Amino acid sequence: MPRGKVDIVMTKARDLGFTPSDKTWANLGQGSPLTSEVEGDSVRITKVELQPNSYNYTPIGGTNELRTRIAEFYNQIHRPNLESKYDQNNVSVTPGGRMALSRIMATLGNINIGYLNPDYSTYSEIMITFAPTCTLIPINLSDTFGINLDIIESKITEFNLGAILLSSPCNPTGSTLNDQELERLVNFCKSNNCLLIIDEFYSKFIYTKTGSILSSSKYILDVEKDGVIIIDGLSKGYRYPGFRLAWIVAPKEIIDKINCAGSFLDGGCSHPIQQFALEMIKPDTAHSEAKAISDQFILKRDYLIKELTTLGFGIPNKVDGAFYLWCNLDNLKPELRDGINFSHIALQNKLISIPGEYFDINPDSRRASTKFKNFVRFSYGPSMEVMERGIGILKSIVAIG
Ligand SMILES: Cc1ncc(COP(=O)(O)O)c(C=O)c1O
């Protein structure tokens, strides 16, 4: 079994003495958002009080209350004027985002599935493990790393794709489909019978208009007939990665199959965490929370872009969402131009970053050559203090000589 890419780096960091509380390290690697209070955000959960029924199994797809709450969230935030509405049977709650993806992949059968490159590193392992009968079709983005719909549409047609998987906002680039593009993609997939599997884990980290939440659900006319599967969860937008709760929103027929997969893969999400999620997923406060988060994160994005470009890193794409910077190393000194070397040297200096080639989605290493060797990903999930420490370390590494 291949080890998860971010896990490889984090294991090396721990071997070298990294702990999250060690103030001499800067973790700009792992994709974890700041988990402490953010001004304007709702109060962080600090207590876990179990109820008598917390000990019991829940339905595989989640408790009725939570599924209803999630369905209402999408209806109220994204579809208030649309007739077709989601209900609890359009929702499946899962133990974290990776399990949401695994459940979905396990239901796909024998189709051509397209995926973008680069994208979230774990897609590779999840596709080969859970969708072994699918033909995997890479869709390489251009050198500017935007999510280019012309390229995507031509691949859907050329390979008669039965499904396409992508993250928007994208991990690792931060490229983000805007409203018009989401509408175009939903409509194109619908008219070409291509299931759209869209990973919206970073939908609250939007910097074009802070406080906005971008979701393809706004452009789905009929929630049962339009083949769109949406994934989101508590790990990023609610800043509770340790709670391990995510959800899938899709037509009922698809949710039914996804729950069948959940019944043998994972058995459902932790019951107490589902009870707490009810306190967090609140349609009426969603925009103010999104604003609190994005107001805070845009400062960190701007700081990091400014400092990194001054140091010679190239940032090829527009960073409208998520909390990552996808950095080209070509203008650094020769020993730092390879992402693996870069990351290794950075680790020796107590800075964690992720080599770009780890986001080269190359299932089973079927392609011999590796892409994105001259890239590295930095996360601006952590606090400004960690960011500044990281930049201090980078300055000493990058200095010529
Ligand atoms: C795009 C994307 N989707 C899903 C996930 C998975 O989240 P989880 O930690 O809940 O499994 C991540 C985590 O980094 C991600 O970046």
Side-chain angles (χ1 to χ4, degrees):
M1 265 289 146
R3 188 182 284 277
K5 304 291 171 25
V6 173
D7 196 28
I8 294 175
V9 179
M10 293 312 295
T11 304
K12 280 188 193 155
R14 281 185 209 105
D15 289 347
L16 288 167
F18 166 74
T19 62
S21 58
D22 185 334
K23 294 228 183 291
T24 60
W25 278 80
N27 181 4
L28 306 189
Q30 195 169 33
S32 176
L34 190 69
T35 52
S36 54
E37 261 175 47
V38 162
E39 202 187 320
D41 198 2
S42 55
V43 180
R44 306 296 286 161
I45 303 234
T46 53
K47 276 206 199 101
V48 176
E49 196 172 310
L50 299 180
Q51 297 165 14
N53 71 347
S54 309
Y55 301 102
N56 297 327
Y57 285 120
T58 71
I60 300 290
T63 63
N64 293 354
E65 294 90 323
L66 182 57
R67 287 185 291 138
T68 303
R69 174 68 62 81
I70 293 167
E72 275 168 10
F73 181 91
Y74 283 86
N75 292 337
Q76 288 177 26
I77 299 286
H78 299 298
R79 321 179 41 80
N81 302 320
L82 288 164
E83 211 178 296
S84 165
K85 303 274 193 224
Y86 290 116
D87 67 37
Q88 59 169 332
N89 296 321
N90 294 107
V91 180
S92 178
V93 175
T94 66
R98 280 159 264 197
M99 191 44 80
L101 288 156
S102 308
R103 282 190 188 183
I104 294 166
M105 288 299 143
T107 65
L108 290 182
N110 183 2
I111 56 167
N112 289 351
I113 176 166
Y115 60 89
L116 304 196
N117 203 19
D119 212 326
Y120 174 38
S121 50
T122 307
Y123 289 164
S124 213
E125 284 79 37
I126 291 180
M127 286 192 292
I128 43 174
T129 309
F130 295 105
T133 51
C134 283
T135 305
L136 309 176
I137 311 285
I139 303 177
N140 294 309
L141 298 173
S142 68
D143 291 346
T144 52
F145 295 101
I147 306 177
N148 184 319
L149 290 188
D150 291 335
I151 300 178
I152 292 175
E153 289 173 0
S154 72
K155 290 280 180 179
I156 291 177
T157 322
E158 183 186 349
F159 290 96
N160 196 16
L161 294 185
I164 175 164
L165 166 68
L166 75 155
S167 65
S168 175
C170 173
N171 172 7
T173 61
S175 292
T176 303
L177 292 171
N178 63 28
D179 273 301
Q180 292 73 27
E181 290 166 328
L182 283 170
E183 182 170 24
R184 175 174 155 189
L185 183 62
V186 168
N187 288 335
F188 188 87
C189 286
K190 182 160 80 172
S191 41
N192 287 274
N193 281 327
C194 174
L195 193 61
L196 172 60
I197 307 169
I198 183 156
D199 183 336
E200 299 183 353
F201 252 70
Y202 298 93
S203 58
K204 279 181 160 183
F205 296 87
I206 305 294
Y207 308 118
T208 41
K209 185 168 168 249
T210 59
S212 54
I213 306 174
L214 280 180
S215 174
S216 53
S217 60
K218 196 170 168 186
Y219 302 105
I220 296 168
L221 281 187
D222 187 320
V223 299
E224 298 307 337
K225 291 197 185 126
D226 300 0
V228 182
I229 304 183
I230 296 167
I231 308 157
D232 201 344
L234 297 185
S235 306
K236 315 289 173 175
Y238 295 79
R239 303 186 295 114
Y240 290 104
F243 279 14
R244 313 306 303 136
L245 185 145
W247 54 85
I248 304 163
V249 178
K252 293 187 173 94
E253 204 186 325
I254 294 180
I255 290 293
D256 200 41
K257 289 188 192 149
I258 283 170
N259 288 339
C260 292
S263 73
F264 65 84
L265 282 175
D266 57 86
C269 179
S270 147
H271 197 158
I273 294 301
Q274 294 189 52
Q275 290 164 332
F276 300 123
L278 283 170
E279 290 175 38
M280 294 167 225
I281 304 168
K282 293 184 178 145
D284 48 341
T285 56
H287 283 294
S288 56
E289 283 191 36
K291 181 146 176 39
I293 297 174
S294 47
D295 276 348
Q296 173 82 223
F297 277 65
I298 199 171
L299 300 176
K300 296 190 285 166
R301 179 199 68 171
D302 292 349
Y303 168 76
L304 208 55
I305 291 181
K306 184 169 150 281
E307 296 291 336
L308 289 175
T309 41
T310 307
L311 286 173
F313 291 86
I315 299 171
N317 60 299
K318 236 172 129 247
V319 187
D320 286 340
F323 44 80
Y324 304 108
L325 294 181
W326 178 242
C327 297
N328 180 291
L329 305 171
D330 289 343
N331 287 334
L332 301 186
K333 55 185 175 182
E335 64 268 35
L336 295 179
R337 288 182 197 157
D338 174 281
I340 298 271
N341 272 349
F342 177 94
S343 183
H344 176 73
I345 293 170
L347 275 182
Q348 305 295 325
N349 289 276
K350 302 191 170 183
L351 170 73
I352 309 178
S353 62
I354 310 291
E357 66 183 79
Y358 287 179
F359 300 92
D360 176 11
I361 311 289
N362 183 11
D364 253 349
S365 305
R366 289 173 198 172
R367 178 174 16 89
S369 63
T370 305
K371 292 174 183 287
F372 317 131
K373 277 179 167 292
N374 52 341
F375 278 85
V376 70
R377 185 197 79 174
F378 293 111
S379 161
Y380 50 96
S383 67
M384 192 57 116
E385 187 195 336
V386 175
M387 228 44 68
E388 286 169 350
R389 197 182 309 136
I391 288 296
I393 298 173
L394 274 177
K395 281 183 180 161
S396 64
I397 297 174
V398 163
I400 309 282

